[in-house]
Amino acid sequence: GNSVTQMEGPVTLSEEAFLTINCTYTATGYPSLFWYVQYPGEGLQLLLKATKADDKGSNKGFEATYRKETTSFHLEKGSVQVSDSAVYFCALGDSGGGADGLTFGKGTHLIIQP
Amino acid sequence: KAGVTQTPRYLIKTRGQQVTLSCSPISGHRSVSWYQQTPGQGLQFLFEYFSETQRNKGNFPGRFSGRQFSNSRSEMNVSTLELGDSALYLCASSEGFGAGELFFGEGSRLTVL
């Protein structure tokens, strides 16, 4: 079945540091890939997505590239801010029609210190 | 456009009771999915409804059920509650059926004592 693996953290960085959160996946076919973010006390919000190999999703300074050869979708940001502190989830959508809903990683808790 | 609305936001039940959670999707969205979020298991897919029909179901026991109404609003029900059912239950809506872009509500936090 489908699975997503990501570093769980917590990951603690100083403001303006470079961020990488690794995400790798196992799936059949050509799934869509997503990064969702969950701020304290809130539901999940879509951060960015990519639907095919070599696509780059980007939003709010965050980027991730769909790498089929390494089955990865790592999240990066060049300069993080305190407001980026949240839990980040990597997810994949079944290309076969979503029979299992979205498959999520366990989430990475990111803490940015001023 | 209003977002996904879930009620109640917090509730406490005791073992053996049942609970009903409600979700109002974004206007125009016809698909509603439910997820359970726990610290140990993370986010797990419960089921998806589209046009009042359950289209997909995750690996949960029959105590977990749901339904969708003609206005796309959805409810999920958990009967004979167990301590392990304590979780944040998240509802998400989308325009179409299948695992595309989901818009999540803030969740209903259930505590079972």
Side-chain angles (χ1 to χ4, degrees):
Chain A
N2 297 337
S3 67
V4 174
T5 302
Q6 62 179 111
M7 52 203 296
E8 292 187 31
V11 173
T12 303
L13 296 173
S14 297
E15 204 166 21
E16 299 183 2
F18 184 86
L19 168 71
T20 299
I21 301 178
N22 290 336
C23 170
T24 56
Y25 68 90
T26 301
T28 56
Y30 303 93
S32 295
L33 299 174
F34 306 85
W35 277 100
Y36 281 84
V37 58
Q38 186 175 33
Y39 297 103
E42 299 184 12
L44 277 71
Q45 302 174 24
L46 179 67
L47 182 59
L48 53 84
K49 67 178 181 181
T51 58
K52 62 182 187 297
D54 299 325
D55 266 2
K56 177 186 283 187
S58 61
N59 186 27
K60 299 182 181 180
F62 291 90
E63 294 183 340
T65 301
Y66 188 165
R67 300 288 188 199
K68 189 167 178 8
E69 64 276 14
T70 55
T71 61
S72 65
F73 193 55
H74 304 321
L75 182 68
E76 296 181 335
K77 186 175 184 181
S79 177
V80 293
Q81 306 299 313
V82 172
S83 57
D84 293 328
S85 298
V87 181
Y88 292 80
F89 293 90
C90 183
L92 71 84
D94 187 346
S95 59
D100 298 319
L102 285 183
T103 300
F104 286 88
K106 289 291 182 72
T108 300
H109 186 193
L110 176 65
I111 301 169
I112 307 300
Q113 297 179 331
Chain B
K1 193 185 265 191
V4 177
T5 303
Q6 291 188 245
T7 57
R9 291 291 312 280
Y10 303 91
L11 65 167
I12 299 173
K13 294 285 187 179
T14 57
R15 279 182 300 172
Q17 288 186 310
Q18 73 167 15
V19 66
T20 298
L21 309 177
S22 180
C23 173
S24 293
I26 291 172
S27 178
H29 285 192
R30 297 171 62 192
S31 176
V32 173
S33 303
W34 289 89
Y35 288 79
Q36 181 195 65
Q37 186 178 23
T38 60
Q41 298 298 316
L43 280 151
Q44 294 184 286
F45 173 70
L46 280 158
F47 26 65
E48 178 178 14
Y49 286 86
F50 182 82
S51 294
E52 302 179 62
T53 302
Q54 185 182 92
R55 302 292 176 145
N56 298 311
K57 185 171 172 32
N59 189 25
F60 279 82
R63 300 185 298 107
F64 292 81
S65 63
R67 59 177 174 169
Q68 186 180 33
F69 302 94
S70 58
N71 62 358
S72 295
R73 191 176 70 84
S74 176
E75 290 181 346
M76 68 163 282
N77 183 276
V78 188
S79 62
T80 319
L81 284 166
E82 301 177 359
L83 295 178
D85 296 333
S86 294
L88 181 66
Y89 290 88
L90 291 166
C91 169
S93 73
S94 61
E95 292 182 356
F97 159 67
E101 181 175 344
L102 300 181
F103 295 82
F104 284 83
E106 294 181 320
S108 294
R109 183 165 296 282
L110 170 65
T111 302
V112 181
L113 301 176

